[in-house]
Amino acid sequence: MEPSVTFLLTEEAMVGRCGGEMPEAMLLSHLHRRLLFLISFLLIIPQVAPAIAEELAFHGCQWTESCQSKWLGGCGAGFVVADQSENCNGLCGESSYPPCLPFYTHFHCCKPERPRVTSKCSRCNNKLDFGDEYVCCTDCSDPYLMDKSSKFGFCKTGAELAIQLKPQEIFKWVAGPWMKCSSPCDGGIRYRDVGCYGSITDSSIKHYPVDDSRCPGQEMPARQEVCNLQSCIDLSASDSNEKSSGMSGWLVAFLVLVVLVAIGAVGFAGYVYYKRRSSAPSGFVYIMLEGYS
């Protein structure tokens, strides 16, 4: 950084001395110096890269300890730049390096990885839904994916990237009881509630209503049907016949009961008369009159 500053100051001073114009030979000399400086800087980069790679030999995400050029700096192979800041967004600790010069910054470097299987994504609000599975960070922070097909990504907080398979959902139609028919005869209509419900393999969670499009349409039960197709005239005639037959049946039963009671009463009276005849004393009674004695 210092040679370039010295070179620019020297160039400005010489331009001022020449009244705003530089000789062609001097301009070529300055361009030659700039080219040499650029070549020397490019030769230094391979020596700095191993130090950067050694500094970033970690898991997850981390801020670079040293300041790097905003245009030529970076995170090294196998890492991606998630963010950059001159003070690490307030997270930089004590460093042996001086504060960043203008156009220099710290890089927030993250190492992408494949998610590991977990069962904790369901409790996180910050998760990505891929239909059959969730992708989250183990600390429930926001996950960042570089490739949605392979779920290759990272968590800025340094937590592990995780994936959880959703419990298998089963959708089926559920029909309620039939309501009362709209007419007692000559044909009516009755209705019932039919809805699509989902359930999962977790028995602790009851079935829940979902949109009807989730259930197969060809298996949907009928929501209404005709009822009471019998003619009202035939129904009246059958009711009267049932009433008359019911009255005659009661009458016959009553007469039979009266006859049985009468027979029982006659039998009981005969039994009492027989008992009296059989228990009375038999013989002759002599009555003596005093007047004739």
Side-chain angles (χ1 to χ4, degrees), residues 20-32:
E21 296 181 0
M22 294 180 62
E24 183 177 357
M26 187 176 296
L27 180 60
L28 291 176
S29 176
H30 289 173
L31 291 177
H32 180 67

Side-chain angles (χ1 to χ4, degrees), residues 261-287:
V261 171
I263 293 174
V266 171
F268 180 74
Y271 174 75
V272 171
Y273 178 74
Y274 169 75
K275 293 294 289 182
R276 286 182 179 181
R277 288 287 304 273
S278 61
S279 62
S282 59
F284 297 96
V285 178
Y286 297 95
I287 303 174

Side-chain angles (χ1 to χ4, degrees), residues 154-216:
F154 58 90
C155 300
K156 282 187 176 182
T157 57
E160 286 188 273
L161 193 67
I163 187 171
Q164 178 184 1
L165 296 177
K166 285 185 178 180
Q168 185 179 3
E169 288 183 295
I170 302 174
F171 304 101
K172 62 180 179 179
W173 295 104
V174 177
W178 287 107
M179 298 180 184
K180 186 179 179 180
C181 190
S182 61
S183 176
C185 54
D186 284 342
I189 299 177
R190 62 180 182 177
Y191 299 90
R192 65 178 176 180
D193 294 327
V194 177
C196 182
Y197 283 77
S199 60
I200 58 178
T201 53
D202 188 356
S203 59
S204 63
I205 301 177
K206 297 182 178 180
H207 64 276
Y208 45 90
V210 296
D211 190 79
D212 289 348
S213 60
R214 308 294 294 271
C215 292

Side-chain angles (χ1 to χ4, degrees), residues 232-250:
C232 291
I233 299 175
D234 296 339
L235 183 62
S236 300
S238 62
D239 289 342
S240 61
N241 293 334
E242 289 178 0
K243 289 180 181 180
S244 60
S245 62
M247 288 297 293
S248 60
W250 279 106

